[in-house]
Amino acid sequence: MKKLVAFGILALSLVGTVSAQVKPEDQIKYRQAGYSFMAWNMGKIKASLDGEFNVQQVQAAASAVAAIAGSGMGALYGPGTESDIGDRKTRVKPEAFQNMADLGKLATDFNAAAANLADAAAKGDKAAVQKAFGETGATCKACHDKYRLD
């Protein structure tokens, strides 16, 4: 767990370095793409849990979610991305940028939950996947409740 916390802090500390290389409107576009892809994969896991459990589909989807969660998306919250830019809209509340330490904690929690989901999926145990899926969804909701505009 200490390694995950350190990783989360490191990812957020790299915001200035990476964001300087990517235009703010592209940072918004890339982070939205990452979240959309994760949502699609979470939907596939939910469908499998609600219907016929497809181990391979769940493993692939959980691996995708964990990979994106651990990819350093915190770097896409650079200066200038706290509000809409031209036709690029963002649903991040400005408060997120005033509370980067809290945002980093939420991101670290999500990263850990997503990694746990991928581990559960790798074992193929539906009950374990169900539990890990709920925990991952709860970490998503925790951030959305605080820092996402409706």
Side-chain angles (χ1 to χ4, degrees), residues 23-38:
K23 295 185 299 187
E25 57 267 35
D26 288 339
Q27 290 179 51
I28 293 170
K29 179 174 79 172
Y30 298 152
R31 75 181 181 222
Q32 288 173 342
Y35 292 127
S36 292
F37 192 65
M38 285 191 287

Side-chain angles (χ1 to χ4, degrees), residues 43-64:
K44 291 192 304 184
I45 296 168
K46 180 169 180 16
S48 188
L49 289 169
D50 290 346
E52 186 175 330
F53 188 65
N54 182 320
V55 174
Q56 291 78 22
Q57 180 177 336
V58 169
Q59 289 171 340
S63 293

Side-chain angles (χ1 to χ4, degrees), residues 27-145:
Q27 290 179 51
I28 293 170
K29 179 174 79 172
Y30 298 152
R31 75 181 181 222
Q32 288 173 342
Y35 292 127
S36 292
F37 192 65
M38 285 191 287
W40 178 61
N41 279 285
M42 290 291 283
K44 291 192 304 184
I45 296 168
K46 180 169 180 16
S48 188
L49 289 169
D50 290 346
E52 186 175 330
F53 188 65
N54 182 320
V55 174
Q56 291 78 22
Q57 180 177 336
V58 169
Q59 289 171 340
S63 293
V65 171
I68 295 170
S71 71
M73 286 192 47
L76 300 174
Y77 287 85
T81 67
E82 64 278 356
S83 59
D84 299 344
I85 301 171
D87 65 346
R88 183 61 58 192
K89 308 295 183 204
T90 182
R91 292 190 291 177
V92 177
K93 290 180 180 177
E95 296 88 343
F97 295 86
Q98 298 160 1
N99 298 300
M100 292 302 275
D102 185 50
L103 188 63
K105 164 83 169 81
L106 292 169
T108 299
D109 292 347
F110 173 66
N111 190 4
N116 186 50
L117 176 60
D119 288 343
K123 295 174 184 153
D125 178 356
K126 183 177 180 178
V129 170
Q130 182 82 40
K131 181 176 187 250
F133 179 80
E135 292 167 354
T136 303
T139 63
C140 294
K141 184 176 180 344
C143 190
H144 288 191
D145 287 350

